[in-house]
Amino acid sequence: MSGGGKEPQQPPLGPHMTLPGPGRIAAYAGLAVLGALVALAGSLVQGGWFPGGLVLALLATVAVFLGGLRATGTQMGVGAPAAGWLIAAVLLSTGRPEGDAAFSAGVGPLIYLLGGMALAVMCATMSRLPQPGTESGRLGK
């Protein structure tokens, strides 16, 4: 160290990564709660109006995932509601010792669980659209 001055410490995530601000953390927490609510509503709707309810529940699931991606512009915007959805869906599928469960019996809940997980993966891995107002990387255009 030269000059006896204190060098600025790097954040724990690395030199080019920064911690998200409180607003972004609140947005991710809100998206996780929204994902859990969608799982709760989907578990009730998919069994109540089969097969239309299953389609409606999966459409709501993909809407919350894509909405999180669109609202935050990051893959974490999909990960937060997907985590909330998955935790709620798993907890709802286990049931209680008395035999009560939010999911009905049959193939519908299985399609809902596997389909929701597949939709989360698809939404998280899809390429992001280019930001508006950015110029093309091509020279001469």
Side-chain angles (χ1 to χ4, degrees):
M1 291 183 16
S2 62
K6 211 175 186 186
E7 291 185 24
Q9 293 183 356
Q10 294 294 329
L13 299 175
H16 300 291
M17 298 177 71
T18 59
L19 293 172
R24 189 166 288 266
I25 291 172
Y28 291 146
L31 286 169
V33 169
L34 186 61
L37 291 174
V38 168
L40 174 64
S43 70
L44 299 173
V45 170
Q46 63 84 24
W49 299 317
F50 189 79
L54 176 62
V55 172
L56 183 64
L58 287 173
L59 285 174
T61 302
V62 77
V64 75
F65 295 158
L66 289 177
L69 176 66
R70 192 86 153 153
T72 63
T74 63
Q75 268 75 24
M76 188 63 185
V78 177
W85 182 91
L86 182 62
I87 291 168
V90 167
L91 289 175
L92 289 168
S93 68
T94 58
R96 299 184 340 178
E98 294 86 15
D100 299 336
F103 284 106
S104 62
V107 72
L110 185 61
I111 293 172
Y112 180 63
L113 288 172
L114 294 176
M117 286 187 270
L119 290 171
V121 169
M122 283 189 266
C123 291
T125 57
M126 63 189 285
S127 63
R128 287 182 273 176
L129 298 174
Q131 298 296 319
T134 58
E135 296 295 323
S136 173
R138 295 177 58 192
L139 297 175
K141 293 280 178 179

